[in-house]
Every structure is written in C-alpha cells, then in structure tokens.
Amino acid sequence: MQKRIYKRVAAAIMTAAMVVTLVPQVGKTSALAGETEQSLEAVAARGTYEQRFMDLWSDIKNPKNGYFSPKGIPYHSIETMIVEAPDYGHVTTSEAMSYYIWLEAMYGKFTGDFSGYGTAWNVTEKYMIPTDADQPPTSMSKYTPSKPATYAPEYQDPSQYPAKLDTGAPVGSDPIWSQLVAAYGRNTIYGMHWLLDVDNWYGFGSRGDGTTAPSYINTFQRGEQESTWETIPQPCWDAMKYGGPNGFLDLFTGDSSYAQQFKYTDAPDADARAIQAAYWASEWAKDYNVNIDTYSSKATMMGDYLRYSMFDKYFRKIGNSTVAGTGYDASHYLLSWYYAWGGGITADWAWIIGSSHNHFGYQNPMAAWILSQNSKFKPKTTNGQADWATSLNRQLEFYQWLQSSEGAIAGGASNSRNGRYEAWPAGTATFYGMGYEENPVYKDPGSNTWFGFQAWSMQRVAEYYYKTKDVKAKQILDKWVAWVKSVVVLKADGTFTIPSTLSWSGQPDTWTGSYTGNPKLHVTVVDSGTDLGVTGSLANALLFYSKAANDESAKNLAKELLDRVWKLYRDDKGVAVPEARADYKRFFEQTLYVPSTFIGKMPNGDVIKSGIKFLDIRSKYLQDPSYAKLLDAYKNNKSPEFTYHRFWAQCDVAIANGVYALLYESNPNVDYANINPTNGTFDKAVGKQADLSTTLSMQGYTFANLSKGTTALRLNTDYTVNGNTVVLKKEFLSTLPLGDTTITFNFSNSYTKPFVVTVVDTTVVVVAGDVKIQMFNGNTSATTNGIAPRFYLVNTGSNSINLSDVKLRYYYTIDGEKSQNFWCDWSTIGSGNVTGTFLKMATPKAGADYYLEIGFTSGAGSLNAGQGIEVQGRFAKTDWSNYTQTGDYSFNSSGNSYVDWNKATAYITGKLNWGIEP
C-alpha cells in the first residue's frame, strides 16, 4: 500500500499551480542552450543509468502519457482517482513543481539544453507563485510588521472548529519584512503556494471567477486529526461567492464579522528543493557555458522569503512561548511546516505568520549551505546570508538531537504545544526550549510514520556531505546508513522491500550541544513495501553518501535498488507498482465535520452541511473512469488495487539514475578542479623540515585561497602560489599538531578540494604495536562544558585481540577539580560494552593532569586482524563547568574526521601498544 498520505496544516488557507513543454527533437535546442548540439555519437555513448534517466524524462514529457495539463502544469499523478495529500490526481502541489525544476536541471546536465529548466521556472512563476493580481500590493503594502497577525488557537479535532480569534493574545514583531521590501522593492511574497486545482475540477476558478483554470485551493485547516479524508476544499481567494454567507471562512475561524480575503500557504520543503535544484543547474550549466543566472536569482529571492518558515507562528519567543518576541528571539532557524500570508480583497490589510511546528523531514541543509556559502546565491537582504548560515548549523543539530539509537531520525519539535502555547509536561525533552513531538503537525496517520521522510530528508544531508565533507553530516549519515542497510531487504528472487511504516518509542535526550546516542529513543519497522518514489530517493541518498565516504556497500545497495525497480516495474509510462488501498472505503464512509449552524454549497451545487460524507461534496468522482472499480470493491468488502504514476515518484527514480551516472558512470574519477598530489607528510624533526607542494589542475575554475577549518591561510606567509604550483611553507607546517590536518583548497563557485598533511616527528619514538588509534574531537571549541573524543581503534596485527584486554587514554587538564561523568554516545560494539574511568596523574605533564581511560567489557568480544571499532565518547564535570581544551595534550584542534593520532595511547594487558605518553 502507498503510505504517503501525509498532509500539511496551516492557520491560513493554501493553494498552487504549474506547466509543460513538448519533447525536444534530438539536435534541436534553443538559444538558452548555448547552441549546443546533441550529436548521435553522444547519445550512443550514454551509459546505462544516464540512458534510463533519458528514457524516463521522455516518458514524463511525452504528452500522450498525461503527466502535464494543456497549460504545461505537472499533475500530482496521471491517474485521477487518488487521495493522498491532494484529494484528486489532477490537483497538484508545489512539491511536484520543485521536482519538475530538478528534473529539467539534470536534463540540461546530460544534454546542454537548459530550455526546459527555464520553462519549469517560468511555469512556477506564472502558476505556483501567486502573482500581484492574486496578492494585491495595495493590500500587502498595508502589512504592519509590528502586528503580523491575529492569534487563533489550534485544536486537536475538526469538531472543535471554528477557532475563535483572540485580539488580546501576545503576538511578536516581524524582523525581516523591512529587509525584504528594501532588497526587492516589492510588497508581495515570492514563495510557492502548496496546492493547485490544475483543471479547476472543483470549480472555484481563478480569483473566484468560477471558470478559469488553474485555481489556488486549500484543504487542511482544522487541527492534527484532520486527515485528507476529513477536509473541506476551499478557495484561496474567498470572495464569498461559494460556501455559505461568509464563504468558507466561518468553518475555520470564529469572528464577529468576515471580510472577503485571499490567503496562501508555503510548503518550505518544496521551495528548498527548488533552490537545491537551481544550484545544481547553475553548476551544470557552466559545463556548456550557458548563462542561467536569471533563474539563480529567482531561487535566491525565494530563499530570502523562505526565512519566514524560520519563525514561530505568531513571532513568540522560542523556548518562552507565552511571551511576544521582539525580533530574532522568535526564530528557531529551522524549516518549519509552513509559512502563510493573506489580506483583504475589498479592503487594504494583510497578515503573515510563520509556524511553530518543526519536522525533521522538511529540513534541507543543502539549501542552507547554498544560500549561506555560494556567492551566486547570496540573498540580497542584509541578514539573509547570516540567517541561513545559522540555520545550517541549527538543522544539523536538529538531526543529531533526533537520531534514534538505531540511526533513524525521529519526528521534531514545537514551540507551541497543542497549537495553543501550552506548557510541556514535566520530563519532555527539549531542543532550544521547544518540546519533542513524535509526530509533529498531524496524527492521522502520524507524520513521522512514513519512511519516505527518512529518504527525502537524508538525501539532502548526503548531498551536503558530498559537497562539504562536514563531519557532523558524516556522523549522522554513518549511523543512518548502517540502519538503512539493516532494514532494506534484497530477496534472492530478485525482488526487494524497503520500510514503509515506522513506529517510535521513548524520546531523545534534551539537547545540550552534542549527540548522546539517545539510548531511550527507538524506531521499529512496522511494515515494508515497494514505494518506488521513496526507493529512488533512498538510492539517491546512498549514492551521494557512498561517493563521499567511499562506502562500496552503500553504492552497491543503491545500484541493486535501481536495477530491481527498472527490471520489475518498468512500463510504457514510466515505473509503477500495483497498490491495494484499504483506506479507500473512506470514500463512502468518512463523515466530514460541519457545524450544525453552517449550510453552504460547492460550486457544482454539492451541499455542505452537518452529516455529509467525503463523496457528498466531491460528487464529480462518480463520473471518474475508475469509480465503477472503486464501488465494486467496496460492495464486495475488498481493497481496490490501483497502479499510480505519481509525478514526483517518476522524477525521484529518474534523478537517482542520473545521480548514479554522474557519480559512477560519467568520468567517475574526474572532478572539476583538481590538485596533485592530494596529501603530503611533514617531519618536525630538526634538519628534516621541508615545504610541501602540489599542482593545480584548473579545468575552467580559478584558485581563490587556502584555509584550515574556518581560518584563511596567509598568502606569501603560510603558502605561496607560482603559476599552477602551490607551496605550503615549512614555517607554517611546523605549527601543525602531530597527525593529519586537512588544508582546504578553495576555488571559484565555492568548489573545494582537500589536501591532507600528515605531521610526524622522527625525533620522538612512537610506539606502534598491534593496534593504532585514529581520533578527532567532536567539539573543537576553545572552551566547552563537554569534551567529546571520537576514537577508531584498529587491529593492525595478525591475531585477534580480546577487547577486554585493551585500554585507551585521552589526556587533558581538568581546569578546576570537580567530579566527572562519562558517556559512550555510540559504539559499533554497543555503548553498554564501553567503560570510562577518570584518573588523576601523580605528576602533571604539559597539557595533562588527568586522563580518561576507556575500557571494554567481556561482552565487547574480540577485534579481528584488520578490523576496527568506533567509540564516540563524551565527558563533563557534574556541575557542567567549562574545560579549556585548546592546550590539552590529546586534543585534536583541527581534525574533523578520523586520523592517526599518537597523542592518545592504547594499552594491551597494561603495556603501551600505541602512541606517545605526555
């Protein structure tokens, strides 16, 4: 069964729109494509996975297959009888539009033709982003950022609506409106509304005219228990022409009087995906010397407005939500479930709200990195770039906080319990003061029971890790990928299953700045299936991770999934699998809550009144070609079986095949700019110190500078550049600690290459026996209340070693005598099999008066020759006072990944076997 029956909830109404292009003829391109010809030789040279992308692209773009409306707007699915987030197949979402942009960006990469990419953005702007006619500037210009909106409580069940407006409730101030108006010279919002009636099936029409397609609509409006089956479709432009005397407004909010108004809701994950796609289009267009900067600027502007999703719904303080915020104290810096805006049709007034509810599945660190680090996508507002930089770090922390013991990512957090800013129960885990939510936003079904959010969201983390090698992302992915490998099943008969429904128990530990392993937070796979779109997204995530982490098994798993999807489920319209829909009995049985005081009509005359059912206000379904099949199954008490071609799912499979082609099929060992060599060894011994040099291979890029971490190196002091030769000077190298340090070579367009310097000192005798320690520090702040050494212990000998015979030591200064606690956040042998003991040194040494000794229980087993284990440790004083770790003997100040580290020592049966004692 297709489990993706998710929904979006907003306090304001929602809407949407889109477009199509005909399949270009081979060899024919527009001026946008840079006059690039696609030769027959190029087509013949395509690899298997690139050709699969092209085949699916052709299926999607073939007008006969029906993925697009006559206006070129992608439908949610080819088939019409489908109820998920949209309640009709030819209604569509901003999600579909973002996939359309991504699909055409990749087509440009393989062909040099970016005209389809331009069309996708043009369609987005014409139909999905409300125009000035849809959000009149005369009204939007009257928005008052000191009074963004009037508070209305949220409730748990539709029967508790309408929710009465409360003009006396605290509402904070909006700190970004004036920035946006100054930067872009407009008073309207540049963001996609989430839902569009593409063919005007419901009949509201554009701006209430009843006839013009497409039409912005909304469904969800009434709390966490309102599933798709319980919604009442409504127009975003409510001129009170349809519905009751007050249109649809008094179904949702209670007021003394009502005004004609417009209202739209943005789904942040879709906007962020469009920005993500725009970045890749910009990168790929360089290969063909095609200028698509116009569309990069549109994506940047969308990202600037997307910051509204970083704020509490009513701009109240984060972690102190009964109090009105005064600006950025109302920002959680996450991508929340929505932001929304609206105003008067016949009177000039406007409002804007953010969202208090944050789901991990909506986060996009790749988009945050693009908007904060890439000069081409730098927001025009004064705070935009800095806000996205803060968001990037906050999102990564959010994933860390929510990572379960097994590795899956749990739900999220809210700044407004029950949507009414109620106090959190004692013992609720918090993230920056926001309470943990197992299923943020909606409960029917639970919003984090769908495995698809794992694949969607972690694909973005993997893509970000591929581009940056950020150690935080690596740690999250290492554990998540290990869990994925354990729950994906490749059967001997050539079939496969991936998780479908997840359940959760427990909660994470309250966030204090580092991952604890969350020993009380667990995930269970309830059932599995073959959701093809999710499979594509999962393969995509595994591929980016495998390339960055050099994980062959992750690559092979992704390849198997893509191959099996293609072999088992390829048809004449794309890829699809039959689905039994047990929930479809709700077509006939689901009652919609309507207050007894409300009587109204849909545009086609369907009556809206108390006691109606789902089909009663969707009577056009009775004329659907599949209705007879649906009715027959219901009469015979069977689950009807349908085969769906969802637009986003086709794109996800196509794009994943394209990613495989790019990473492993098309010049797999060639990058954009290169350095050779990529590493070097520096000896600190007197008389052996020497410069290190490497040669640049530019391939159209320009060299910018060198950096170590976030610190820029000094030209002609730390390094020199002569033509294509870069020399790291021995005077600089001598300041580096023993072990590996990464020096980053920075090129144009934010492209980077790492150069690893291994520092040794042959004047010091390093014990190297049967084991070695690789290490880095999870927290490299100068002062910290928790030290987080990460160890990787490798058996370099030829015999197995009992881990209970092994001890590891980390040397440091306590900086104020206090009792201390040790935690093993995570280990490949199980956290319970790791012990930690603090010992005070009888004779203090430089950088050390204490050491943490890590040991292993008998349950840890043995370490075979050539194998390694990981231990992620953390320790703190019981009063949480700070350590100063910069001078500590074992502290690795510059590493962010595992490197040989001889300032941590290892002992076997009490004898030093690795490292240098202080």
Side-chain angles (χ1 to χ4, degrees):
M1 173 183 171
Q2 168 66 247
K3 290 291 184 180
R4 189 179 166 275
I5 312 173
Y6 74 94
K7 68 179 188 181
R8 311 178 194 275
V9 177
I13 301 188
M14 315 186 187
T15 331
M18 302 181 206
V19 184
V20 86
T21 53
L22 297 178
V23 181
Q25 298 175 4
V26 174
K28 301 288 187 180
T29 62
S30 72
L32 183 63
E35 304 302 328
T36 303
E37 290 287 330
Q38 186 184 182
S39 67
L40 294 176
E41 290 81 2
V43 173
R46 287 192 191 119
T48 298
Y49 298 87
E50 181 180 340
Q51 187 59 54
R52 286 182 187 172
F53 169 86
M54 296 300 294
D55 289 346
L56 283 176
W57 182 90
S58 296
D59 287 342
I60 294 167
K61 297 299 291 293
N62 187 340
K64 294 181 180 179
N65 286 337
Y67 284 100
F68 290 86
S69 78
K71 287 184 168 67
I73 305 169
Y75 294 125
H76 174 67
S77 68
I78 292 176
E79 299 76 20
T80 52
M81 181 160 280
I82 182 171
V83 177
E84 300 181 327
D87 57 359
Y88 181 68
H90 283 189
V91 169
T92 200
T93 62
S94 56
E95 166 193 280
M97 183 55 69
S98 65
Y99 270 105
Y100 181 25
I101 293 171
W102 197 0
L103 180 78
E104 296 292 7
M106 184 166 279
Y107 179 80
K109 169 61 177 174
F110 289 131
T111 65
D113 182 354
F114 288 88
S115 59
Y117 172 74
T119 297
W121 265 107
N122 293 338
V123 168
T124 299
E125 217 169 42
K126 185 174 182 179
Y127 296 115
M128 211 76 204
I129 299 172
T131 66
D132 284 2
D134 299 300
Q135 47 171 334
T138 52
S139 293
M140 292 300 298
S141 64
K142 297 302 189 293
Y143 171 66
T144 305
S146 61
K147 298 178 181 179
T150 300
Y151 170 80
E154 297 171 20
Y155 293 103
Q156 278 55 66
D157 193 83
S159 64
Q160 296 172 283
Y161 284 79
K164 187 175 177 59
L165 293 170
D166 183 353
T167 58
V171 175
S173 58
D174 170 0
I176 67 173
W177 177 255
S178 59
Q179 299 176 26
L180 291 162
V181 172
Y184 298 106
R186 54 187 289 157
N187 293 298
T188 52
I189 300 288
Y190 193 82
M192 293 189 280
H193 176 70
W194 85 280
L195 191 63
L196 191 73
D197 187 353
V198 179
D199 298 332
N200 194 35
W201 189 71
Y202 278 111
F204 295 117
S206 176
R207 293 186 291 282
D209 69 6
T211 58
T212 306
S215 171
Y216 291 114
I217 64 168
N218 190 46
T219 51
F220 303 105
Q221 190 88 19
R222 301 185 294 179
E224 63 187 27
Q225 287 295 334
E226 186 188 35
S227 72
T228 310
W229 296 104
E230 297 159 277
T231 60
I232 297 175
Q234 69 221 235
C236 286
W237 185 279
D238 197 333
M240 302 179 182
K241 182 178 179 180
Y242 307 108
N246 299 311
F248 292 80
L249 300 173
D250 50 341
L251 286 170
F252 312 116
T253 56
D255 203 356
S256 57
S257 63
Y258 297 88
Q260 296 180 28
Q261 58 190 269
F262 59 89
K263 50 264 183 182
Y264 305 103
T265 300
D266 184 286
D269 66 324
D271 285 34
R273 186 186 292 112
I275 294 160
Q276 182 184 357
Y279 166 79
W280 286 114
S282 177
E283 291 292 291
W284 294 332
K286 290 182 232 172
D287 298 344
Y288 301 94
N289 196 29
V290 175
N291 187 329
I292 56 172
D293 288 352
T294 296
Y295 301 105
S296 300
S297 296
K298 293 179 188 296
T300 300
M301 181 162 61
M302 182 178 283
D304 230 347
Y305 282 90
L306 186 55
R307 291 183 297 149
Y308 270 117
S309 70
M310 297 181 188
F311 288 87
D312 175 79
K313 181 175 181 178
Y314 293 107
F315 296 89
R316 292 195 185 184
K317 288 187 176 181
I318 302 303
N320 187 16
S321 62
T322 60
V323 178
T326 58
Y328 277 96
D329 57 356
S331 180
H332 42 65
Y333 291 101
L334 299 169
L335 293 180
S336 61
W337 197 250
Y338 58 82
Y339 74 83
W341 74 100
I345 292 175
T346 57
D348 297 337
W349 51 273
W351 54 267
I352 299 174
I353 57 173
S355 175
S356 307
H357 309 309
N358 302 285
H359 194 298
F360 97 87
Y362 268 30
Q363 306 313 302
N364 193 323
M366 184 66 184
W369 175 77
I370 293 162
L371 292 163
S372 64
Q373 302 296 324
N374 190 287
S375 58
K376 184 168 285 188
F377 290 86
K378 179 182 177 181
K380 290 174 65 175
T381 55
T382 52
N383 286 23
Q385 185 175 28
D387 289 349
W388 279 108
T390 301
S391 177
L392 172 58
N393 185 63
R394 189 66 55 86
Q395 289 183 49
L396 292 171
E397 288 184 294
F398 200 48
Y399 286 108
Q400 289 178 306
W401 177 58
L402 292 168
Q403 188 155 38
S404 65
S405 293
E406 295 77 16
I409 313 299
S414 177
N415 196 50
S416 178
R417 181 172 183 253
N418 289 329
R420 299 189 293 276
Y421 297 103
E422 296 174 352
W424 293 98
T428 300
T430 58
F431 179 81
Y432 287 91
M434 297 183 291
Y436 171 66
E437 290 268 28
E438 182 176 307
N439 289 299
V441 189
Y442 64 85
K443 305 293 191 290
D444 181 15
S447 67
N448 202 34
T449 59
W450 184 54
F451 175 75
F453 275 131
Q454 301 286 322
W456 271 5
S457 197
M458 295 302 283
Q459 186 280 330
R460 303 157 196 160
V461 180
E463 200 172 279
Y464 167 74
Y465 170 51
Y466 168 79
K467 286 296 299 182
T468 67
K469 306 301 187 291
D470 188 320
V471 68
K472 280 186 182 179
K474 181 181 188 300
Q475 291 168 351
I476 297 163
L477 286 161
D478 285 348
K479 193 169 183 179
W480 183 80
V481 170
W483 171 71
V484 164
K485 291 176 182 177
S486 73
V487 294
V488 173
V489 178
L490 301 176
K491 298 181 180 180
D493 63 359
T495 61
F496 71 93
T497 61
I498 63 170
S500 180
T501 308
L502 306 177
S503 67
W504 302 88
S505 62
Q507 64 173 356
D509 294 329
T510 289
W511 182 249
T512 59
S514 58
Y515 178 55
T516 66
N518 284 330
K520 297 179 181 179
L521 176 63
H522 299 284
V523 65
T524 301
V525 176
V526 176
D527 55 43
S528 296
T530 52
D531 187 313
L532 303 187
V534 176
T535 303
S537 191
L538 176 61
N540 190 331
L542 291 170
L543 288 168
F544 275 113
Y545 170 79
S546 69
K547 190 68 172 181
N550 195 27
D551 186 330
E552 191 73 13
S553 63
K555 170 198 168 185
N556 290 339
L557 177 57
K559 182 178 185 298
E560 280 290 333
L561 290 173
L562 294 177
D563 289 350
R564 293 179 187 216
V565 167
W566 198 259
K567 182 177 181 180
L568 295 170
Y569 302 119
R570 182 82 171 100
D571 65 19
D572 60 350
K573 291 182 174 63
V575 291
V577 61
E579 304 170 21
R581 294 297 298 259
D583 62 322
Y584 274 14
K585 65 182 181 181
R586 296 176 80 171
F587 268 102
F588 304 95
E589 297 178 359
Q590 181 63 60
T591 299
L592 311 184
Y593 175 74
V594 179
S596 59
T597 56
F598 185 98
I599 295 180
K601 290 184 177 181
M602 298 293 286
N604 69 344
D606 287 348
V607 177
I608 309 167
K609 64 180 181 178
S610 180
I612 60 171
K613 290 185 167 57
F614 179 85
L615 273 177
D616 289 336
I617 58 171
R618 297 168 174 86
S619 62
K620 289 183 71 174
Y621 258 133
L622 276 63
Q623 283 77 53
D624 191 276
S626 296
Y627 179 73
K629 176 181 178 180
L630 176 74
L631 181 61
D632 182 69
Y634 180 70
K635 287 180 176 179
N636 290 284
N637 197 28
K638 293 181 179 180
S639 297
E641 188 174 272
F642 290 93
T643 300
Y644 291 125
H645 296 81
R646 299 172 181 85
F647 184 86
W648 72 267
Q650 304 303 313
C651 292
D652 246 334
V653 174
I655 290 165
N657 277 282
V659 168
Y660 187 94
L662 292 174
L663 297 182
Y664 290 108
E665 201 170 52
S666 304
N667 300 318
N669 298 315
V670 178
D671 238 320
Y672 290 104
N674 279 302
I675 56 176
N676 185 34
T678 58
N679 57 75
T681 299
F682 177 79
D683 192 340
K684 284 193 172 187
V686 176
K688 296 185 179 179
Q689 296 185 7
D691 298 338
L692 293 177
S693 65
T694 189
T695 301
L696 305 175
S697 176
M698 306 307 292
Q699 301 188 49
Y701 282 69
T702 56
F703 175 69
N705 57 30
L706 299 181
S707 59
K708 180 170 75 72
T710 58
T711 303
L713 271 58
R714 298 166 295 174
L715 180 63
N716 297 324
T717 300
D718 300 329
Y719 69 101
T720 62
V721 180
N722 183 11
N724 284 339
T725 301
V726 176
V727 176
L728 288 163
K729 301 186 71 172
K730 62 184 179 182
E731 291 81 5
F732 162 71
L733 295 170
S734 65
T735 67
L736 300 179
L738 296 177
D740 288 352
T741 295
T742 298
I743 305 298
T744 301
F745 280 63
N746 298 300
F747 297 88
S748 56
N749 298 304
S750 301
Y751 187 72
T752 63
K753 292 292 288 187
F755 182 90
V756 179
V757 179
T758 301
V759 179
V760 300
D761 189 345
T762 56
T763 60
V764 179
V765 177
V766 180
V767 173
D770 295 325
V771 296
K772 73 172 180 178
I773 293 176
Q774 295 184 326
M775 200 205 84
F776 70 95
N777 280 77
N779 178 355
T780 57
S781 301
T783 59
T784 179
N785 62 9
I787 295 177
R790 309 296 196 224
F791 298 97
Y792 192 70
L793 177 69
V794 182
N795 183 348
T796 57
S798 56
N799 298 311
S800 178
I801 298 171
N802 289 325
L803 283 169
S804 59
D805 293 333
V806 178
K807 304 289 186 186
L808 313 180
R809 290 182 185 175
Y810 180 92
Y811 296 90
Y812 64 99
T813 55
I814 194 169
D815 303 316
E817 193 76 30
K818 300 284 183 180
S819 57
Q820 301 172 90
N821 290 322
F822 167 77
W823 300 272
C824 177
D825 291 338
W826 183 74
S827 176
T828 48
I829 57 168
S831 299
N833 290 315
V834 180
T835 63
T837 306
F838 300 99
L839 293 111
K840 185 174 182 177
M841 297 173 65
T843 304
K845 304 288 186 179
D849 53 27
Y850 262 80
Y851 61 82
L852 166 69
E853 185 170 82
I854 290 178
F856 305 94
T857 68
S858 58
S862 58
L863 185 62
N864 294 329
Q867 290 186 341
I869 61 164
E870 186 175 358
V871 176
Q872 295 185 8
R874 178 170 53 92
F875 61 93
K877 302 173 194 177
T878 53
D879 67 351
W880 293 97
S881 57
N882 280 341
Y883 300 92
T884 300
Q885 61 177 346
T886 48
D888 290 348
Y889 180 77
S890 294
F891 177 59
N892 182 351
S893 63
S894 60
N896 57 10
S897 59
Y898 288 112
V899 295
D900 291 355
W901 195 247
N902 54 37
K903 287 192 172 184
T905 54
Y907 305 81
I908 300 178
T909 61
K911 182 179 179 181
L912 181 65
N913 196 270
W914 166 266
I916 309 167
E917 294 178 334

